[in-house]
Amino acid sequence: MDQGRIEKIKAWVDHGIKSGRAIVYPAGTHKLPEPLQGFDDRLNACRCIGELEGFANRRQFDPTLPRWTEEQRAAIITRKVGMLNVVKRKRK
């Protein structure tokens, strides 16, 4: 491939990135979209209290999201208590 054509492709990619039409993935990521997860999958994916609090208080970031149902709130609280108990056991 000649150098002029390579420069044109680089310019085209740079323009796509700057205009927001191109998606840039970090090295080592896959290109397939993640399957949609349900509430339970997302709740169980929280690895620490901070992630759980961000998940539980998501409406602070986007107020248009629906409120949690009572069952979902209970599940979040149960998960938090379980995480706190694990932390307490590790400290002993």
Side-chain angles (χ1 to χ4, degrees):
M1 201 180 281
D2 67 327
Q3 192 64 24
R5 186 173 173 142
I6 292 172
E7 293 302 320
K8 286 181 182 179
I9 292 172
K10 286 182 180 179
W12 177 74
V13 170
D14 288 339
H15 176 70
I17 292 170
K18 290 176 185 172
S19 67
R21 290 183 290 146
I23 299 173
V24 180
Y25 293 100
T29 59
H30 57 82
K31 296 180 182 178
L32 298 174
E34 291 289 329
L36 294 176
Q37 298 178 341
F39 171 79
D40 292 331
D41 292 334
R42 291 180 181 154
L43 179 63
N44 293 330
C46 295
R47 296 170 291 180
C48 66
I49 298 293
E51 285 183 8
L52 183 64
E53 288 176 353
F55 175 68
N57 300 319
R58 74 199 196 293
R59 293 189 75 233
Q60 289 180 349
F61 306 104
D62 186 1
T64 62
L65 292 171
R67 293 185 182 273
W68 295 121
T69 64
E70 289 302 317
E71 293 82 19
Q72 290 171 331
R73 291 182 69 212
I76 291 169
I77 292 169
T78 302
R79 174 86 169 138
K80 182 176 181 180
V81 169
M83 292 173 95
L84 290 173
N85 286 339
V86 169
V87 170
K88 287 180 184 177
R89 275 187 244 139
K90 286 183 179 180
R91 289 185 183 166
K92 288 183 179 181

